[in-house]
Amino acid sequence: MRILIVEDHWQLALSLKQGLQAHYLVDLAYSGAKGKFKASTQTYGLIILDLFLPDTNGIALCQYLRKSQIQTPILLLTKAQKIHYRVQSLDAGADDYLTKPFDLREIKARIRALLRRPQPLLPTILQLNKLKLDLTTHSVYYDQQLIELTRKEFFILQLLMRQPGQVVNHHALMEQVWERPYCQSTNTLAVHIYRLRKKLQQRCGVNLIQTVKGIGYRLKKLD
């Protein structure tokens, strides 16, 4: 079983990893962007998510994951004592919450309880009309014909397909695909988008990736 911990306090994150790794494989993410990327591109049995992150908050990240059809159980960690934070967390899609500070024995018990629940079948294919992206084989097809993509092209397309018709900004793509919180130039991204757009257009016959000048890119919804 693999668990993702999204926690910006690196000492707490490492302590949790050390406490859990005897029974689970544990990945760490120290920001919301990195947590979003890992949760969107890998399969986890459980996500442990801090409410307050330097670049976002756990509620917004919960909402994003649920809208992206990622139904992995989420245990949210919070220092907040106010009840409305806990209500918002559960309404956003978190399965449980734990108030800091906490005992390692309690978080282990919460994890066991969440993992005992029947797990929904997770979607392994993203589809937009005839365009299909297979998360298990890292393959992309249009009308059942394979489109050869590089690893980064695949991840870019995956992120765009999770939000069809919505603009994904330059820096969000750079942070999630290259895991760089600060980038001086978007030229590298532009080159990958150009190649990806060309490959898709050759197979689909239409330009699927639209540029929103100065902001980012969006995947055109097909009728």
Side-chain angles (χ1 to χ4, degrees), residues 4-15:
L4 173 63
I5 298 174
V6 186
E7 167 63 67
D8 65 307
H9 192 295
W10 64 270
Q11 289 177 316
L12 175 58
L14 286 175
S15 177

Side-chain angles (χ1 to χ4, degrees), residues 45-208:
L46 180 80
I47 298 172
I48 298 174
L49 176 60
D50 188 25
L51 177 60
F52 298 111
L53 296 163
D55 54 344
T56 186
N57 63 69
I59 292 171
L61 187 48
C62 269
Q63 291 171 332
Y64 170 84
L65 295 176
R66 296 315 187 212
K67 286 179 181 178
S68 300
Q69 299 182 348
I70 296 171
Q71 299 302 319
T72 306
I74 295 174
L75 173 59
L76 199 135
L77 306 180
T78 175
K79 290 180 181 178
Q81 299 297 323
K82 294 182 178 179
I83 187 65
H84 78 269
Y85 283 115
R86 301 197 285 273
V87 171
Q88 286 183 332
S89 301
L90 295 172
D91 285 344
D95 296 273
D96 196 2
Y97 66 86
L98 191 59
T99 304
K100 298 178 182 178
F102 51 82
D103 189 286
L104 183 61
R105 292 171 296 178
E106 182 175 6
I107 197 169
K108 286 181 176 180
R110 298 289 184 105
I111 291 171
R112 290 193 298 270
L114 287 173
L115 294 179
R116 282 197 299 268
R117 296 180 183 177
Q119 300 302 316
L121 293 176
L122 301 179
T124 59
I125 292 179
L126 302 178
Q127 184 165 356
L128 187 65
N129 198 284
K130 295 181 181 179
L131 183 65
K132 294 182 180 180
L133 184 146
D134 191 323
L135 297 168
T136 58
T137 63
H138 278 222
S139 302
V140 176
Y141 298 87
Y142 184 81
D143 199 14
Q144 299 183 344
Q145 295 185 10
L146 181 67
I147 302 174
E148 296 283 356
L149 298 182
T150 66
R151 182 175 180 273
K152 284 186 168 51
E153 289 167 355
F154 179 88
F155 285 142
I156 291 170
L157 181 60
Q158 179 181 341
L159 293 168
L160 293 175
M161 286 188 72
R162 288 192 182 279
Q163 305 174 73
Q166 299 181 36
V167 179
V168 183
N169 70 60
H170 298 118
H171 293 292
L173 284 166
M174 290 293 289
E175 288 173 356
Q176 294 180 62
V177 176
W178 281 268
E179 299 189 57
R180 296 174 184 172
Y182 305 101
C183 51
Q184 300 298 320
S185 171
T186 57
N187 289 340
T188 300
L189 174 61
V191 170
H192 283 78
I193 289 286
Y194 170 79
R195 292 173 179 167
L196 175 59
R197 179 187 282 132
K198 187 175 180 180
K199 290 178 180 180
L200 292 175
Q201 191 164 3
Q202 286 175 342
R203 185 67 69 190
C204 308
V206 294
N207 177 21
L208 292 181

